Coordinates of all heavy atoms in Angstrom, one line a residue:
M808 N 11.6 3.7 -11.6 CA 12.3 3.0 -12.5 C 11.4 2.9 -13.8 O 10.1 2.8 -13.7 CB 12.4 1.5 -12.0 CG 13.1 0.7 -13.1 SD 13.3 -1.0 -12.6 CE 14.1 -0.9 -11.1
N809 N 12.0 3.0 -14.9 CA 11.3 3.0 -16.2 C 11.5 1.7 -17.1 O 12.7 1.1 -16.9 CB 11.6 4.3 -17.1 CG 11.1 5.4 -16.5 OD1 10.0 5.6 -15.8 ND2 11.9 6.6 -16.7
G810 N 10.6 1.3 -17.8 CA 10.8 0.1 -18.6 C 10.1 0.4 -20.0 O 9.3 1.4 -20.1
I811 N 10.3 -0.4 -21.0 CA 9.8 -0.3 -22.3 C 9.2 -1.6 -22.7 O 9.7 -2.6 -22.6 CB 10.9 0.1 -23.4 CG1 11.6 1.4 -22.9 CG2 10.4 0.2 -24.6 CD1 12.8 1.8 -23.7
A812 N 8.0 -1.4 -23.3 CA 7.2 -2.6 -23.9 C 8.2 -3.2 -24.9 O 8.5 -2.6 -25.8 CB 5.9 -2.2 -24.3
N813 N 8.3 -4.6 -24.8 CA 9.2 -5.2 -25.8 C 8.4 -6.3 -26.6 O 8.9 -7.3 -27.1 CB 10.5 -5.9 -25.2 CG 10.1 -7.0 -24.2 OD1 8.9 -7.5 -24.1 ND2 11.0 -7.4 -23.4
C814 N 7.0 -6.0 -26.6 CA 6.2 -6.9 -27.4 C 5.3 -6.0 -28.3 O 5.2 -4.8 -28.0 CB 5.4 -7.8 -26.6 SG 4.3 -6.9 -25.5
I815 N 4.6 -6.5 -29.4 CA 3.9 -5.7 -30.3 C 2.8 -4.9 -29.6 O 2.5 -3.8 -29.8 CB 3.4 -6.5 -31.4 CG1 4.5 -7.0 -32.3 CG2 2.4 -5.8 -32.3 CD1 4.2 -8.0 -33.3
R816 N 2.0 -5.6 -28.6 CA 0.9 -5.0 -28.0 C 1.0 -5.7 -26.5 O 0.7 -6.7 -26.3 CB -0.4 -5.3 -28.6 CG -1.6 -4.6 -27.8 CD -2.9 -4.7 -28.7 NE -2.7 -3.9 -30.0 CZ -3.1 -4.4 -31.1 NH1 -3.6 -5.6 -31.2 NH2 -3.0 -3.7 -32.2
L817 N 1.3 -4.7 -25.6 CA 1.3 -5.1 -24.2 C 0.0 -4.9 -23.5 O -0.6 -3.8 -23.5 CB 2.5 -4.2 -23.5 CG 2.6 -4.4 -22.0 CD1 3.2 -5.9 -21.7 CD2 3.5 -3.3 -21.4
H818 N -0.5 -5.9 -22.9 CA -1.7 -5.8 -22.1 C -1.5 -5.5 -20.8 O -0.7 -6.2 -20.1 CB -2.6 -7.1 -22.1 CG -3.1 -7.4 -23.5 ND1 -3.8 -8.6 -23.8 CD2 -3.1 -6.8 -24.7 CE1 -4.1 -8.6 -25.1 NE2 -3.7 -7.5 -25.7
I819 N -2.1 -4.5 -20.2 CA -1.9 -4.2 -18.8 C -3.3 -4.5 -18.1 O -4.3 -4.2 -18.4 CB -1.7 -2.6 -18.7 CG1 -0.4 -2.1 -19.3 CG2 -1.7 -2.1 -17.1 CD1 -0.1 -0.8 -19.3
H820 N -3.1 -5.4 -17.1 CA -4.3 -6.1 -16.3 C -4.5 -5.3 -15.1 O -3.7 -4.7 -14.5 CB -3.9 -7.5 -16.1 CG -3.8 -8.3 -17.4 ND1 -4.8 -9.0 -17.9 CD2 -2.7 -8.5 -18.2 CE1 -4.4 -9.7 -19.0 NE2 -3.1 -9.3 -19.2
A821 N -5.8 -5.3 -14.7 CA -6.3 -4.8 -13.4 C -5.6 -5.4 -12.3 O -5.3 -4.7 -11.2 CB -7.8 -4.9 -13.3
E822 N -5.3 -6.7 -12.3 CA -4.7 -7.6 -11.2 C -3.5 -8.2 -11.7 O -3.3 -8.4 -12.9 CB -5.8 -8.5 -10.6 CG -7.0 -8.0 -10.0 CD -6.7 -7.0 -8.8 OE1 -5.8 -7.3 -8.1 OE2 -7.5 -6.1 -8.7
P823 N -2.6 -8.7 -10.8 CA -1.4 -9.4 -11.3 C -1.7 -10.9 -11.7 O -1.1 -11.8 -11.3 CB -0.5 -9.3 -10.1 CG -1.3 -9.2 -8.9 CD -2.5 -8.5 -9.4
N824 N -2.6 -11.1 -12.7 CA -2.8 -12.4 -13.3 C -3.4 -12.2 -14.7 O -4.1 -11.2 -14.9 CB -3.7 -13.3 -12.4 CG -5.1 -12.8 -12.3 OD1 -5.9 -12.8 -13.3 ND2 -5.5 -12.4 -11.1
L825 N -3.1 -13.0 -15.6 CA -3.6 -13.0 -16.9 C -5.1 -13.1 -17.2 O -5.6 -12.7 -18.2 CB -2.8 -13.9 -17.8 CG -1.4 -13.7 -18.0 CD1 -0.6 -14.9 -18.7 CD2 -0.9 -12.4 -18.4
D826 N -5.8 -13.6 -16.2 CA -7.2 -13.7 -16.3 C -8.1 -12.5 -15.9 O -9.2 -12.4 -15.9 CB -7.7 -14.9 -15.4 CG -7.2 -16.3 -16.1 OD1 -7.1 -16.4 -17.2 OD2 -7.0 -17.3 -15.2
S827 N -7.2 -11.5 -15.3 CA -8.0 -10.3 -14.8 C -8.3 -9.4 -16.1 O -7.7 -9.5 -17.2 CB -7.1 -9.5 -13.8 OG -6.1 -9.0 -14.3
E828 N -9.2 -8.4 -15.8 CA -9.6 -7.4 -16.9 C -8.4 -6.7 -17.4 O -7.4 -6.3 -16.8 CB -10.5 -6.4 -16.2 CG -10.9 -5.2 -17.1 CD -11.6 -4.2 -16.4 OE1 -11.8 -4.3 -15.1 OE2 -12.0 -3.1 -17.0
I829 N -8.4 -6.5 -18.8 CA -7.4 -5.7 -19.4 C -7.8 -4.3 -19.4 O -8.9 -3.9 -19.9 CB -7.2 -6.2 -20.9 CG1 -6.5 -7.6 -20.9 CG2 -6.1 -5.2 -21.7 CD1 -6.6 -8.1 -22.3
V830 N -7.0 -3.4 -18.7 CA -7.4 -2.0 -18.5 C -6.8 -1.1 -19.7 O -7.3 0.0 -19.8 CB -7.0 -1.5 -17.2 CG1 -7.8 -2.2 -16.1 CG2 -5.5 -1.6 -16.9
C831 N -5.7 -1.6 -20.3 CA -5.1 -0.8 -21.3 C -4.2 -1.7 -22.2 O -3.7 -2.7 -21.6 CB -4.3 0.3 -20.5 SG -3.4 1.5 -21.6
K832 N -4.0 -1.2 -23.4 CA -3.0 -1.9 -24.3 C -2.1 -0.8 -24.7 O -2.5 0.3 -25.1 CB -3.7 -2.5 -25.3 CG -4.6 -3.6 -25.1 CD -5.4 -4.1 -26.3 CE -6.5 -5.1 -25.9 NZ -7.3 -5.5 -27.1
V833 N -0.8 -1.1 -24.7 CA 0.2 -0.2 -25.2 C 1.0 -0.9 -26.3 O 1.2 -2.1 -26.3 CB 1.1 0.3 -24.1 CG1 0.4 1.1 -23.0 CG2 1.9 -0.8 -23.4
R834 N 1.6 0.0 -27.1 CA 2.3 -0.5 -28.4 C 3.7 -0.7 -28.0 O 4.3 -0.2 -27.0 CB 2.3 0.6 -29.5 CG 0.8 0.7 -30.0 CD 0.8 1.7 -31.0 NE -0.6 1.9 -31.5 CZ -0.9 2.2 -32.6 NH1 -0.1 2.3 -33.5 NH2 -2.2 2.4 -33.0
Y835 N 4.4 -1.4 -28.9 CA 5.9 -1.7 -28.9 C 6.7 -0.5 -28.6 O 6.3 0.6 -29.2 CB 6.2 -2.4 -30.2 CG 7.6 -2.8 -30.3 CD1 8.2 -3.8 -29.4 CD2 8.5 -2.2 -31.2 CE1 9.6 -4.1 -29.5 CE2 9.9 -2.6 -31.3 CZ 10.3 -3.6 -30.5 OH 11.6 -3.9 -30.6
L836 N 7.6 -0.5 -27.7 CA 8.6 0.6 -27.4 C 7.9 1.7 -26.6 O 8.6 2.8 -26.3 CB 9.3 1.0 -28.6 CG 10.1 0.1 -29.3 CD1 10.9 0.7 -30.6 CD2 11.2 -0.5 -28.5
T837 N 6.6 1.5 -26.1 CA 6.1 2.5 -25.2 C 6.7 2.4 -23.9 O 7.0 1.4 -23.3 CB 4.5 2.3 -25.0 OG1 3.9 2.4 -26.4 CG2 3.9 3.2 -24.1
E838 N 7.1 3.6 -23.2 CA 7.6 3.7 -22.0 C 6.6 3.7 -21.0 O 5.7 4.3 -21.0 CB 8.5 4.9 -22.0 CG 9.4 4.9 -20.7 CD 10.4 6.0 -20.7 OE1 11.1 6.3 -21.7 OE2 10.5 6.6 -19.6
V839 N 6.9 2.8 -19.8 CA 6.0 2.8 -18.7 C 6.9 3.1 -17.4 O 8.0 2.8 -17.4 CB 5.3 1.5 -18.6 CG1 4.3 1.3 -19.7 CG2 6.2 0.3 -18.5
E840 N 6.3 3.6 -16.5 CA 6.9 3.7 -15.1 C 6.5 2.4 -14.3 O 5.4 2.0 -14.3 CB 6.4 4.9 -14.4 CG 7.1 5.1 -13.0 CD 6.5 6.4 -12.3 OE1 6.0 7.2 -13.0 OE2 6.6 6.4 -11.1
I841 N 7.5 1.9 -13.5 CA 7.5 0.7 -12.9 C 7.4 0.9 -11.3 O 8.4 1.7 -10.8 CB 8.6 -0.4 -13.2 CG1 8.4 -0.7 -14.7 CG2 8.6 -1.5 -12.3 CD1 9.6 -1.5 -15.1
D842 N 6.6 0.4 -10.6 CA 6.5 0.4 -9.2 C 7.0 -0.8 -8.6 O 6.2 -1.9 -8.6 CB 5.0 0.8 -8.6 CG 5.0 1.0 -7.2 OD1 5.9 0.5 -6.4 OD2 3.9 1.5 -6.8
L843 N 8.2 -1.0 -8.2 CA 8.7 -2.3 -7.7 C 8.1 -2.7 -6.3 O 8.0 -3.9 -6.2 CB 10.2 -2.2 -7.5 CG 11.0 -2.1 -8.9 CD1 12.5 -1.9 -8.6 CD2 10.9 -3.3 -9.7
E844 N 7.7 -1.8 -5.5 CA 7.1 -2.2 -4.3 C 5.7 -2.9 -4.4 O 5.4 -3.8 -3.6 CB 6.9 -0.8 -3.3 CG 8.3 -0.4 -2.9 CD 8.0 0.8 -1.9 OE1 6.9 0.9 -1.3 OE2 8.9 1.5 -1.7
E845 N 5.0 -2.5 -5.5 CA 3.8 -3.2 -5.7 C 3.8 -4.3 -6.7 O 2.8 -4.9 -7.0 CB 2.7 -2.0 -6.4 CG 2.4 -1.0 -5.4 CD 1.5 -1.5 -4.2 OE1 0.7 -2.4 -4.4 OE2 1.8 -0.9 -3.1
S846 N 4.9 -4.6 -7.3 CA 5.2 -5.6 -8.2 C 5.2 -7.0 -7.5 O 5.4 -7.1 -6.3 CB 6.5 -5.4 -9.0 OG 6.4 -4.2 -9.8
T847 N 4.9 -8.1 -8.3 CA 4.9 -9.4 -7.7 C 6.1 -10.2 -8.3 O 6.9 -9.6 -9.1 CB 3.7 -10.1 -8.0 OG1 3.5 -10.3 -9.4 CG2 2.4 -9.4 -7.5
E848 N 6.2 -11.5 -8.1 CA 7.3 -12.3 -8.6 C 7.3 -12.3 -10.2 O 8.2 -12.2 -10.8 CB 7.3 -13.7 -8.1 CG 8.3 -14.5 -8.5 CD 8.3 -15.9 -7.8 OE1 7.8 -16.0 -6.7 OE2 8.7 -16.9 -8.5
D849 N 6.1 -12.3 -10.7 CA 5.8 -12.4 -12.2 C 5.3 -11.2 -12.9 O 5.4 -11.2 -14.1 CB 4.9 -13.6 -12.4 CG 5.4 -14.9 -11.9 OD1 6.7 -15.2 -12.1 OD2 4.7 -15.8 -11.5
F850 N 4.8 -10.3 -12.2 CA 4.2 -9.0 -12.8 C 4.8 -7.7 -12.3 O 5.1 -7.7 -11.0 CB 2.8 -9.0 -12.5 CG 1.9 -9.9 -13.2 CD1 1.9 -11.3 -12.8 CD2 1.3 -9.7 -14.4 CE1 1.2 -12.3 -13.5 CE2 0.5 -10.7 -15.1 CZ 0.5 -12.0 -14.7
Y851 N 5.0 -6.8 -13.1 CA 5.3 -5.4 -12.7 C 4.1 -4.7 -12.6 O 3.2 -4.8 -13.3 CB 6.2 -4.8 -13.7 CG 7.6 -5.1 -13.8 CD1 8.2 -5.5 -15.1 CD2 8.4 -5.1 -12.7 CE1 9.5 -5.9 -15.1 CE2 9.8 -5.4 -12.8 CZ 10.3 -5.8 -13.9 OH 11.6 -6.2 -14.0
K852 N 4.0 -3.8 -11.5 CA 3.0 -2.8 -11.5 C 3.4 -1.6 -12.3 O 4.5 -1.1 -12.0 CB 2.8 -2.3 -10.1 CG 1.7 -1.2 -9.8 CD 0.4 -1.5 -10.0 CE -0.6 -0.3 -9.8 NZ -1.4 -0.4 -8.7
V853 N 2.6 -1.1 -13.3 CA 3.1 -0.1 -14.2 C 2.1 1.1 -14.3 O 0.9 0.8 -14.0 CB 3.3 -0.7 -15.6 CG1 4.5 -1.7 -15.5 CG2 2.2 -1.3 -16.2
Y854 N 2.6 2.2 -14.7 CA 1.8 3.4 -14.9 C 2.2 3.9 -16.3 O 3.3 3.9 -16.7 CB 2.2 4.4 -13.9 CG 1.8 4.0 -12.5 CD1 2.9 3.4 -11.8 CD2 0.6 4.2 -11.9 CE1 2.5 2.9 -10.4 CE2 0.3 3.8 -10.6 CZ 1.5 3.2 -9.9 OH 1.1 2.8 -8.7
T855 N 1.2 4.3 -17.1 CA 1.4 4.8 -18.5 C 1.4 6.3 -18.4 O 1.0 6.9 -17.4 CB 0.4 4.3 -19.4 OG1 -0.9 4.9 -19.2 CG2 0.3 2.8 -19.5
A856 N 1.9 6.9 -19.5 CA 1.9 8.4 -19.6 C 0.5 9.0 -19.7 O 0.2 10.1 -19.4 CB 2.7 8.8 -20.9
I857 N -0.5 8.1 -20.0 CA -1.9 8.6 -20.2 C -2.8 8.3 -19.0 O -3.9 8.5 -18.8 CB -2.6 8.0 -21.4 CG1 -2.8 6.5 -21.3 CG2 -2.0 8.3 -22.7 CD1 -3.7 5.8 -22.3
G858 N -2.0 7.9 -17.9 CA -2.7 7.8 -16.5 C -3.2 6.3 -16.3 O -3.8 6.1 -15.2
A859 N -3.0 5.4 -17.2 CA -3.5 4.1 -16.9 C -2.5 3.3 -16.0 O -1.2 3.7 -16.0 CB -3.6 3.3 -18.2
E860 N -3.0 2.4 -15.2 CA -2.1 1.7 -14.2 C -2.7 0.3 -14.1 O -3.9 0.0 -14.3 CB -2.2 2.4 -12.8 CG -3.4 2.3 -12.1 CD -3.2 3.0 -10.7 OE1 -3.4 4.1 -10.5 OE2 -2.9 2.2 -9.7
G861 N -1.7 -0.6 -13.9 CA -2.1 -2.1 -13.7 C -0.8 -2.9 -13.7 O 0.2 -2.4 -13.3
F862 N -1.0 -4.1 -14.2 CA 0.1 -5.1 -14.1 C 0.3 -5.8 -15.4 O -0.6 -6.0 -16.2 CB -0.4 -6.2 -13.1 CG -0.5 -5.7 -11.7 CD1 -1.6 -5.2 -11.2 CD2 0.6 -5.8 -10.8 CE1 -1.8 -4.8 -10.0 CE2 0.4 -5.3 -9.5 CZ -0.7 -4.9 -9.0
C863 N 1.6 -6.0 -15.7 CA 2.0 -6.8 -16.9 C 3.1 -7.7 -16.6 O 3.8 -7.6 -15.6 CB 2.4 -5.7 -18.0 SG 3.8 -4.8 -17.6
K864 N 3.2 -8.6 -17.5 CA 4.2 -9.9 -17.2 C 5.6 -9.2 -17.3 O 5.9 -8.3 -18.2 CB 4.1 -10.9 -18.3 CG 2.9 -11.8 -18.2 CD 3.0 -12.7 -17.1 CE 3.9 -13.8 -17.4 NZ 4.3 -14.7 -16.4
K865 N 6.4 -9.5 -16.4 CA 7.8 -8.9 -16.3 C 8.6 -9.3 -17.6 O 9.4 -8.5 -18.1 CB 8.5 -9.6 -15.2 CG 8.1 -8.9 -13.8 CD 8.9 -9.5 -12.7 CE 8.7 -8.6 -11.4 NZ 9.5 -9.1 -10.3
D866 N 8.4 -10.4 -18.2 CA 9.2 -10.8 -19.4 C 8.8 -10.0 -20.6 O 9.4 -10.0 -21.7 CB 9.1 -12.3 -19.7 CG 7.7 -12.8 -19.9 OD1 6.7 -12.2 -19.6 OD2 7.6 -14.0 -20.5
L867 N 7.7 -9.1 -20.5 CA 7.3 -8.4 -21.7 C 7.8 -6.9 -21.5 O 7.4 -6.0 -22.4 CB 5.8 -8.3 -21.8 CG 5.2 -9.7 -22.1 CD1 3.7 -9.7 -22.1 CD2 5.7 -10.3 -23.3
I868 N 8.6 -6.5 -20.5 CA 9.2 -5.3 -20.2 C 10.6 -5.4 -20.1 O 11.3 -6.2 -19.6 CB 8.7 -4.7 -18.9 CG1 7.2 -4.5 -18.9 CG2 9.3 -3.5 -18.4 CD1 6.6 -3.3 -19.7
T869 N 11.4 -4.4 -20.9 CA 12.8 -4.3 -20.8 C 13.0 -3.1 -19.9 O 12.5 -2.0 -20.2 CB 13.4 -4.0 -22.2 OG1 13.0 -5.2 -23.0 CG2 14.8 -3.9 -22.1
I870 N 13.8 -3.3 -18.9 CA 14.2 -2.2 -18.0 C 15.1 -1.3 -18.6 O 16.1 -1.7 -19.3 CB 14.9 -2.8 -16.6 CG1 13.9 -3.8 -16.0 CG2 15.3 -1.6 -15.8 CD1 12.7 -3.1 -15.4
K871 N 14.8 0.0 -18.5 CA 15.6 1.1 -19.2 C 16.7 1.6 -18.3 O 16.6 1.7 -17.1 CB 14.6 2.1 -19.5 CG 15.1 3.1 -20.5 CD 13.9 4.1 -20.9 CE 14.7 5.3 -21.4 NZ 13.7 6.4 -21.5

């Protein structure tokens, strides 16, 4: 499943919590791949086109 960042700068975290390390930042309208099996109630597990992976808040992604 694919999604699009719907905020100016989306932070992708190493773990599914906002206190974890930020591994990557992506810009508004950047497309990411979503792994629903690894996602949690509040966070999507995502992969970027440049190979970064991590977690971001679900409300900051629009499903495509």
Side-chain angles (χ1 to χ4, degrees):
M808 174 185 307
N809 291 327
I811 298 175
N813 64 18
C814 61
I815 292 173
R816 185 169 293 132
L817 177 68
H818 292 176
I819 298 176
H820 295 266
E822 300 295 328
N824 68 67
L825 295 178
D826 294 327
S827 70
E828 173 189 2
I829 296 172
V830 296
C831 182
K832 296 177 187 176
V833 296
R834 295 179 185 215
Y835 181 64
L836 298 181
T837 299
E838 188 171 319
V839 294
E840 183 179 339
I841 299 171
D842 181 344
L843 290 177
E844 289 185 21
E845 296 291 324
S846 297
T847 69
E848 185 175 328
D849 297 321
F850 288 82
Y851 284 128
K852 171 75 179 251
V853 297
Y854 302 89
T855 69
I857 62 168
E860 66 178 84
F862 295 86
C863 60
K864 291 285 290 174
K865 285 184 172 181
D866 60 344
L867 301 177
I868 295 287
T869 300
I870 301 298
K871 195 173 155 189

